[in-house]
Amino acid sequence: MEQREQTFLPYKILKKGGSGEIVEKKSRFIATLSPVASEEEAAGFIESIKKNYWDARHNCSAFVVGERAQLTRCSDDGEPAGTAGKPMLEVLLGCGVRNAAVVVTRYFGGTLLGTGGLVRAYTQAVQAGLKASEIAVMQYGTELLIETDYSGIGKIQYILGQMGLEPAQAEYVEAVRLKLLVPKQDVVRLRRELTEATAGRVKIEDKGSYYFEAPASFDSLY
């Protein structure tokens, strides 16, 4: 049976957590987000928020772990079923953020919000927290080490600029050595253009493929 080449799609992660707050009929909803890489990290974060806001009526939570959202959990923490944790989780999944945990702390203001009001409040709180957080895009690519003499560096820099690539590391000693993180779909083209431009006077070493943080200008997910 013919095997299909595995496709590694870009995805978003929570790079730095933030906090946001909304008020609905005198009830305070405080959303706190944190990057997490495992269920254990998420559980530890949720527990720490509960201890911090021990006097609140509810500390509802949700988290997503894995580039394909392989692991998800949510909790209503005493709110009517489906009015808190699930809407919170849907916000994270809907905006495509992975490796993220969120706790929404509610201080009751004395007025019941009803099912629809609770869903809206918890949804808006998570959205406010995300606005205060830092999101990064992860893309799959290959680490290349490039070595050339000084006569070829100008052409190489021109090609890299045309492709929107910037060296992650550069050494200028007896030869020029560049470390590049190249999106997988650009590797073959880059190899070809560098070889042609330098008439073969370039050494290109493949150091492996993995996910890395994309440049800020990377907008494939938007």
Side-chain angles (χ1 to χ4, degrees), residues 26-30 53-57 105-109:
K26 298 184 180 179
S27 280
R28 294 175 62 202
F29 294 83
I30 306 166
Y53 293 106
W54 59 270
D55 57 338
R57 175 167 291 195
T105 302
R106 181 189 182 188
Y107 284 97
F108 185 57

Side-chain angles (χ1 to χ4, degrees), residues 76-90:
D76 294 311
D77 194 39
E79 293 282 28
T83 61
K86 185 178 179 181
M88 292 165 57
L89 180 60
E90 287 177 348

Side-chain angles (χ1 to χ4, degrees), residues 147-153 174-176 201:
E147 182 175 321
T148 186
D149 54 37
Y150 281 86
S151 64
I153 188 59
E174 69 276 5
V176 180
R201 297 192 313 275

Side-chain angles (χ1 to χ4, degrees), residues 37-127:
S38 67
E39 185 170 7
E40 291 74 21
E41 281 189 24
F45 164 70
I46 292 167
E47 188 60 31
S48 70
I49 298 300
K50 287 183 175 182
K51 288 181 180 179
N52 190 41
Y53 293 106
W54 59 270
D55 57 338
R57 175 167 291 195
H58 305 283
N59 283 288
C60 306
S61 60
F63 65 86
V64 181
V65 174
E67 64 270 17
R68 296 182 300 279
Q70 295 97 318
L71 178 62
T72 63
R73 296 282 189 276
C74 62
S75 169
D76 294 311
D77 194 39
E79 293 282 28
T83 61
K86 185 178 179 181
M88 292 165 57
L89 180 60
E90 287 177 348
V91 174
L92 297 179
L93 294 173
C95 67
V97 173
R98 307 294 183 249
N99 294 353
V102 59
V103 177
V104 174
T105 302
R106 181 189 182 188
Y107 284 97
F108 185 57
T111 302
L112 296 176
L113 301 182
T115 300
L118 286 172
V119 170
R120 285 191 299 273
Y122 279 101
T123 296
Q124 291 170 5
V126 177
Q127 292 169 341

